[in-house]
Amino acid sequence: MPVVQLTQPFITSHLICPEDKSRIEFCDKTVPGLYIEVRRSSQRQGTYYLRYKNPAGKTAHQRIGTTNEITLSEARREAKQLKFQISLGHNPKGVDAQTPESSGITFEVFMKEKYLPFAQQHKRSYRFDLSMSTLRLIPKFGYLELAQLTRQQIQAFHTDLHNEGLAPATCDHHLKLIRHALNLAVDWGYLDRNPADRIKLFKVDNRVERFMTEGEQARLISVLRTDENRTVCLVALFLLCTGARLNEALHATWDQVDKANKVWRIPASNSKSKRIRAVPLNPSAMEVLDKLGTEGNHRHLFVSSTTGERMTTIHKVWHRIRKKAGLPNLRLHDLRHQYASLLVNNGRTLYEVQHILGHSNPIVTQRYAHLSTKALQEAAASVSVQLDPSHVS
């Protein structure tokens, strides 16, 4: 936990958690006990805490606010007031500690009445959180009060899941859910510290990347241009031409499309990164838009010819189409990978690929680095020309 002279410029530019840590604390030299906690999942922002000794002589932590909510001077002022009250015998958590809700809340009650209702409103993956909570987390820890949870129990649970035969990534999803839920428990005042902190994930790379050869791509495009189900074929072509995710495309509306400037602006509510994203529309994508026939007639781009409503799924038809193209294992998400591979192999930089695909973290884009072989070979060949003896006078 580095001790630094916190300043507003430091907070603006240096709140970075190293990749090998889940969290880091920056302790203030000016007000002892005040620190900013920065989590790896929330770079460039943090939460102010005051570290102090409670009446039992144990170290406690009082949340003050996030760096986005209050300024450094406000945090210092609040920390000094808390320290003064503590010196007079006041316990910042004294009121909360006396309430039955915070002192005796069990993991089951917290998950069902606090966390899951919150997740339902704020997380697209709510149904997975609900499933993991119902099937494993609550049966395992539900009877325990939050304060009784230990790092050893959670670590053992994570390991046991793997021993039961669950995939490492699935085990990690359970641990991430516990960690996230207990982080909120800390923020909401039910816990002083998160016992799931610093438990290592298995971090097994189980990403599936399927890149089509030129011949496979040609077969697929041929089917997409001739198959009778034109709407689904146009959806697939649009994914291949833009690198968009299926959910983004099926929720796309015409007011998001700027045909004059050839840009599709995906709103934050429909973007995985939760940020507005501008997708450039190349001539192939513009051709797809022109063939849809929904502009001016419907709000959404892709409309079911059967129901007249926005398309919500295309997987059943897609399975038939990919089999027809001789690609029975090709996923719709692979069209996004294919688009990225075409960008890289045509000499576009990973920075460009990152922004076109909307990756919030450049590490995600690094998976395509190995595809730049063709461009790198061409670059290396340019040196060979200069070394050719026939060019030496």
PDB file of all heavy atoms in Angstrom, residues 117-136:
ATOM      1  N   PRO A 117     -31.828  -8.286  -6.446  1.00  0.00           N
ATOM      2  CA  PRO A 117     -32.666  -7.193  -6.965  1.00  0.00           C
ATOM      3  C   PRO A 117     -31.831  -6.083  -7.599  1.00  0.00           C
ATOM      4  O   PRO A 117     -32.219  -5.496  -8.612  1.00  0.00           O
ATOM      5  CB  PRO A 117     -33.408  -6.695  -5.714  1.00  0.00           C
ATOM      6  CG  PRO A 117     -33.457  -7.887  -4.817  1.00  0.00           C
ATOM      7  CD  PRO A 117     -32.145  -8.577  -5.026  1.00  0.00           C
ATOM      8  N   PHE A 118     -30.652  -5.810  -7.010  1.00  0.00           N
ATOM      9  CA  PHE A 118     -29.750  -4.808  -7.575  1.00  0.00           C
ATOM     10  C   PHE A 118     -29.214  -5.281  -8.922  1.00  0.00           C
ATOM     11  O   PHE A 118     -29.187  -4.523  -9.902  1.00  0.00           O
ATOM     12  CB  PHE A 118     -28.595  -4.547  -6.604  1.00  0.00           C
ATOM     13  CG  PHE A 118     -27.536  -3.630  -7.142  1.00  0.00           C
ATOM     14  CD1 PHE A 118     -27.676  -2.263  -7.052  1.00  0.00           C
ATOM     15  CD2 PHE A 118     -26.384  -4.148  -7.734  1.00  0.00           C
ATOM     16  CE1 PHE A 118     -26.698  -1.404  -7.552  1.00  0.00           C
ATOM     17  CE2 PHE A 118     -25.406  -3.299  -8.241  1.00  0.00           C
ATOM     18  CZ  PHE A 118     -25.568  -1.928  -8.146  1.00  0.00           C
ATOM     19  N   ALA A 119     -28.785  -6.539  -8.990  1.00  0.00           N
ATOM     20  CA  ALA A 119     -28.228  -7.085 -10.238  1.00  0.00           C
ATOM     21  C   ALA A 119     -29.270  -7.108 -11.347  1.00  0.00           C
ATOM     22  O   ALA A 119     -28.952  -6.882 -12.519  1.00  0.00           O
ATOM     23  CB  ALA A 119     -27.683  -8.493  -9.994  1.00  0.00           C
ATOM     24  N   GLN A 120     -30.512  -7.370 -10.995  1.00  0.00           N
ATOM     25  CA  GLN A 120     -31.570  -7.416 -11.997  1.00  0.00           C
ATOM     26  C   GLN A 120     -31.736  -6.078 -12.698  1.00  0.00           C
ATOM     27  O   GLN A 120     -32.068  -6.024 -13.888  1.00  0.00           O
ATOM     28  CB  GLN A 120     -32.890  -7.827 -11.343  1.00  0.00           C
ATOM     29  CG  GLN A 120     -34.008  -8.083 -12.342  1.00  0.00           C
ATOM     30  CD  GLN A 120     -35.242  -8.663 -11.689  1.00  0.00           C
ATOM     31  OE1 GLN A 120     -35.406  -8.606 -10.469  1.00  0.00           O
ATOM     32  NE2 GLN A 120     -36.114  -9.252 -12.482  1.00  0.00           N
ATOM     33  N   GLN A 121     -31.465  -4.997 -11.985  1.00  0.00           N
ATOM     34  CA  GLN A 121     -31.603  -3.662 -12.550  1.00  0.00           C
ATOM     35  C   GLN A 121     -30.334  -3.180 -13.252  1.00  0.00           C
ATOM     36  O   GLN A 121     -30.398  -2.294 -14.101  1.00  0.00           O
ATOM     37  CB  GLN A 121     -31.965  -2.661 -11.433  1.00  0.00           C
ATOM     38  CG  GLN A 121     -33.305  -2.929 -10.781  1.00  0.00           C
ATOM     39  CD  GLN A 121     -34.459  -2.814 -11.756  1.00  0.00           C
ATOM     40  OE1 GLN A 121     -34.473  -1.931 -12.612  1.00  0.00           O
ATOM     41  NE2 GLN A 121     -35.424  -3.720 -11.657  1.00  0.00           N
ATOM     42  N   HIS A 122     -29.180  -3.757 -12.905  1.00  0.00           N
ATOM     43  CA  HIS A 122     -27.916  -3.189 -13.375  1.00  0.00           C
ATOM     44  C   HIS A 122     -27.053  -4.124 -14.219  1.00  0.00           C
ATOM     45  O   HIS A 122     -26.073  -3.667 -14.794  1.00  0.00           O
ATOM     46  CB  HIS A 122     -27.078  -2.719 -12.178  1.00  0.00           C
ATOM     47  CG  HIS A 122     -27.685  -1.573 -11.425  1.00  0.00           C
ATOM     48  ND1 HIS A 122     -28.612  -1.742 -10.428  1.00  0.00           N
ATOM     49  CD2 HIS A 122     -27.495  -0.238 -11.543  1.00  0.00           C
ATOM     50  CE1 HIS A 122     -28.974  -0.568  -9.948  1.00  0.00           C
ATOM     51  NE2 HIS A 122     -28.316   0.358 -10.604  1.00  0.00           N
ATOM     52  N   LYS A 123     -27.383  -5.421 -14.283  1.00  0.00           N
ATOM     53  CA  LYS A 123     -26.509  -6.345 -15.000  1.00  0.00           C
ATOM     54  C   LYS A 123     -27.265  -7.090 -16.099  1.00  0.00           C
ATOM     55  O   LYS A 123     -28.343  -7.637 -15.861  1.00  0.00           O
ATOM     56  CB  LYS A 123     -25.900  -7.376 -14.037  1.00  0.00           C
ATOM     57  CG  LYS A 123     -24.907  -6.791 -13.045  1.00  0.00           C
ATOM     58  CD  LYS A 123     -24.230  -7.890 -12.239  1.00  0.00           C
ATOM     59  CE  LYS A 123     -23.326  -8.753 -13.091  1.00  0.00           C
ATOM     60  NZ  LYS A 123     -22.629  -9.793 -12.299  1.00  0.00           N
ATOM     61  N   ARG A 124     -26.673  -7.120 -17.288  1.00  0.00           N
ATOM     62  CA  ARG A 124     -27.259  -7.903 -18.370  1.00  0.00           C
ATOM     63  C   ARG A 124     -27.158  -9.397 -18.080  1.00  0.00           C
ATOM     64  O   ARG A 124     -27.924 -10.194 -18.589  1.00  0.00           O
ATOM     65  CB  ARG A 124     -26.554  -7.587 -19.687  1.00  0.00           C
ATOM     66  CG  ARG A 124     -26.766  -6.169 -20.191  1.00  0.00           C
ATOM     67  CD  ARG A 124     -26.268  -6.041 -21.628  1.00  0.00           C
ATOM     68  NE  ARG A 124     -26.423  -4.697 -22.126  1.00  0.00           N
ATOM     69  CZ  ARG A 124     -25.456  -3.783 -22.116  1.00  0.00           C
ATOM     70  NH1 ARG A 124     -24.272  -4.090 -21.629  1.00  0.00           N
ATOM     71  NH2 ARG A 124     -25.655  -2.567 -22.589  1.00  0.00           N
ATOM     72  N   SER A 125     -26.160  -9.760 -17.278  1.00  0.00           N
ATOM     73  CA  SER A 125     -25.940 -11.181 -16.972  1.00  0.00           C
ATOM     74  C   SER A 125     -26.702 -11.613 -15.718  1.00  0.00           C
ATOM     75  O   SER A 125     -26.332 -12.593 -15.079  1.00  0.00           O
ATOM     76  CB  SER A 125     -24.440 -11.441 -16.774  1.00  0.00           C
ATOM     77  OG  SER A 125     -23.933 -10.645 -15.713  1.00  0.00           O
ATOM     78  N   TYR A 126     -27.776 -10.905 -15.378  1.00  0.00           N
ATOM     79  CA  TYR A 126     -28.519 -11.207 -14.158  1.00  0.00           C
ATOM     80  C   TYR A 126     -28.961 -12.664 -14.093  1.00  0.00           C
ATOM     81  O   TYR A 126     -28.877 -13.303 -13.037  1.00  0.00           O
ATOM     82  CB  TYR A 126     -29.746 -10.290 -14.053  1.00  0.00           C
ATOM     83  CG  TYR A 126     -30.783 -10.786 -13.076  1.00  0.00           C
ATOM     84  CD1 TYR A 126     -30.557 -10.708 -11.694  1.00  0.00           C
ATOM     85  CD2 TYR A 126     -31.979 -11.360 -13.522  1.00  0.00           C
ATOM     86  CE1 TYR A 126     -31.505 -11.179 -10.793  1.00  0.00           C
ATOM     87  CE2 TYR A 126     -32.915 -11.835 -12.623  1.00  0.00           C
ATOM     88  CZ  TYR A 126     -32.679 -11.738 -11.260  1.00  0.00           C
ATOM     89  OH  TYR A 126     -33.606 -12.205 -10.370  1.00  0.00           O
ATOM     90  N   ARG A 127     -29.444 -13.217 -15.209  1.00  0.00           N
ATOM     91  CA  ARG A 127     -29.969 -14.578 -15.170  1.00  0.00           C
ATOM     92  C   ARG A 127     -28.875 -15.586 -14.803  1.00  0.00           C
ATOM     93  O   ARG A 127     -29.151 -16.608 -14.165  1.00  0.00           O
ATOM     94  CB  ARG A 127     -30.617 -14.935 -16.503  1.00  0.00           C
ATOM     95  CG  ARG A 127     -29.692 -15.038 -17.687  1.00  0.00           C
ATOM     96  CD  ARG A 127     -30.480 -15.338 -18.968  1.00  0.00           C
ATOM     97  NE  ARG A 127     -29.633 -15.573 -20.102  1.00  0.00           N
ATOM     98  CZ  ARG A 127     -29.114 -14.612 -20.858  1.00  0.00           C
ATOM     99  NH1 ARG A 127     -29.361 -13.341 -20.557  1.00  0.00           N
ATOM    100  NH2 ARG A 127     -28.349 -14.910 -21.897  1.00  0.00           N
ATOM    101  N   PHE A 128     -27.618 -15.298 -15.179  1.00  0.00           N
ATOM    102  CA  PHE A 128     -26.516 -16.182 -14.797  1.00  0.00           C
ATOM    103  C   PHE A 128     -26.207 -16.033 -13.306  1.00  0.00           C
ATOM    104  O   PHE A 128     -25.921 -17.019 -12.619  1.00  0.00           O
ATOM    105  CB  PHE A 128     -25.275 -15.869 -15.633  1.00  0.00           C
ATOM    106  CG  PHE A 128     -25.471 -16.098 -17.107  1.00  0.00           C
ATOM    107  CD1 PHE A 128     -25.489 -15.039 -17.997  1.00  0.00           C
ATOM    108  CD2 PHE A 128     -25.653 -17.381 -17.605  1.00  0.00           C
ATOM    109  CE1 PHE A 128     -25.683 -15.247 -19.349  1.00  0.00           C
ATOM    110  CE2 PHE A 128     -25.841 -17.603 -18.958  1.00  0.00           C
ATOM    111  CZ  PHE A 128     -25.864 -16.526 -19.829  1.00  0.00           C
ATOM    112  N   ASP A 129     -26.266 -14.802 -12.808  1.00  0.00           N
ATOM    113  CA  ASP A 129     -26.063 -14.583 -11.373  1.00  0.00           C
ATOM    114  C   ASP A 129     -27.126 -15.315 -10.568  1.00  0.00           C
ATOM    115  O   ASP A 129     -26.850 -15.933  -9.538  1.00  0.00           O
ATOM    116  CB  ASP A 129     -26.123 -13.087 -11.054  1.00  0.00           C
ATOM    117  CG  ASP A 129     -24.883 -12.341 -11.514  1.00  0.00           C
ATOM    118  OD1 ASP A 129     -24.054 -12.962 -12.214  1.00  0.00           O
ATOM    119  OD2 ASP A 129     -24.737 -11.150 -11.195  1.00  0.00           O
ATOM    120  N   LEU A 130     -28.378 -15.242 -11.045  1.00  0.00           N
ATOM    121  CA  LEU A 130     -29.475 -15.908 -10.353  1.00  0.00           C
ATOM    122  C   LEU A 130     -29.268 -17.419 -10.347  1.00  0.00           C
ATOM    123  O   LEU A 130     -29.468 -18.086  -9.318  1.00  0.00           O
ATOM    124  CB  LEU A 130     -30.808 -15.559 -11.033  1.00  0.00           C
ATOM    125  CG  LEU A 130     -32.054 -16.235 -10.471  1.00  0.00           C
ATOM    126  CD1 LEU A 130     -32.276 -15.834  -9.020  1.00  0.00           C
ATOM    127  CD2 LEU A 130     -33.275 -15.884 -11.323  1.00  0.00           C
ATOM    128  N   SER A 131     -28.853 -17.960 -11.490  1.00  0.00           N
ATOM    129  CA  SER A 131     -28.636 -19.403 -11.587  1.00  0.00           C
ATOM    130  C   SER A 131     -27.513 -19.866 -10.669  1.00  0.00           C
ATOM    131  O   SER A 131     -27.670 -20.843  -9.916  1.00  0.00           O
ATOM    132  CB  SER A 131     -28.315 -19.775 -13.034  1.00  0.00           C
ATOM    133  OG  SER A 131     -28.012 -21.150 -13.140  1.00  0.00           O
ATOM    134  N   MET A 132     -26.379 -19.183 -10.705  1.00  0.00           N
ATOM    135  CA  MET A 132     -25.244 -19.580  -9.858  1.00  0.00           C
ATOM    136  C   MET A 132     -25.582 -19.435  -8.380  1.00  0.00           C
ATOM    137  O   MET A 132     -25.193 -20.261  -7.554  1.00  0.00           O
ATOM    138  CB  MET A 132     -24.006 -18.746 -10.206  1.00  0.00           C
ATOM    139  CG  MET A 132     -23.372 -19.108 -11.534  1.00  0.00           C
ATOM    140  SD  MET A 132     -21.804 -18.242 -11.833  1.00  0.00           S
ATOM    141  CE  MET A 132     -22.398 -16.584 -12.204  1.00  0.00           C
ATOM    142  N   SER A 133     -26.324 -18.376  -8.041  1.00  0.00           N
ATOM    143  CA  SER A 133     -26.701 -18.158  -6.641  1.00  0.00           C
ATOM    144  C   SER A 133     -27.625 -19.257  -6.153  1.00  0.00           C
ATOM    145  O   SER A 133     -27.457 -19.794  -5.048  1.00  0.00           O
ATOM    146  CB  SER A 133     -27.392 -16.796  -6.479  1.00  0.00           C
ATOM    147  OG  SER A 133     -26.534 -15.744  -6.854  1.00  0.00           O
ATOM    148  N   THR A 134     -28.614 -19.611  -6.971  1.00  0.00           N
ATOM    149  CA  THR A 134     -29.623 -20.592  -6.569  1.00  0.00           C
ATOM    150  C   THR A 134     -29.060 -22.007  -6.507  1.00  0.00           C
ATOM    151  O   THR A 134     -29.360 -22.758  -5.568  1.00  0.00           O
ATOM    152  CB  THR A 134     -30.809 -20.557  -7.556  1.00  0.00           C
ATOM    153  OG1 THR A 134     -31.343 -19.233  -7.609  1.00  0.00           O
ATOM    154  CG2 THR A 134     -31.897 -21.517  -7.117  1.00  0.00           C
ATOM    155  N   LEU A 135     -28.232 -22.358  -7.490  1.00  0.00           N
ATOM    156  CA  LEU A 135     -27.747 -23.737  -7.579  1.00  0.00           C
ATOM    157  C   LEU A 135     -26.601 -24.044  -6.624  1.00  0.00           C
ATOM    158  O   LEU A 135     -26.513 -25.158  -6.098  1.00  0.00           O
ATOM    159  CB  LEU A 135     -27.306 -24.034  -9.015  1.00  0.00           C
ATOM    160  CG  LEU A 135     -28.414 -24.070 -10.075  1.00  0.00           C
ATOM    161  CD1 LEU A 135     -27.822 -24.318 -11.444  1.00  0.00           C
ATOM    162  CD2 LEU A 135     -29.438 -25.146  -9.743  1.00  0.00           C
ATOM    163  N   ARG A 136     -25.711 -23.054  -6.387  1.00  0.00           N
ATOM    164  CA  ARG A 136     -24.510 -23.385  -5.622  1.00  0.00           C
ATOM    165  C   ARG A 136     -24.191 -22.437  -4.467  1.00  0.00           C
ATOM    166  O   ARG A 136     -23.891 -22.891  -3.365  1.00  0.00           O
ATOM    167  CB  ARG A 136     -23.298 -23.455  -6.571  1.00  0.00           C
ATOM    168  CG  ARG A 136     -23.372 -24.637  -7.537  1.00  0.00           C
ATOM    169  CD  ARG A 136     -22.076 -24.818  -8.292  1.00  0.00           C
ATOM    170  NE  ARG A 136     -22.121 -26.000  -9.136  1.00  0.00           N
ATOM    171  CZ  ARG A 136     -22.592 -26.032 -10.369  1.00  0.00           C
ATOM    172  NH1 ARG A 136     -23.036 -24.903 -10.922  1.00  0.00           N
ATOM    173  NH2 ARG A 136     -22.614 -27.141 -11.062  1.00  0.00           N
TER     174      ARG A 136
END
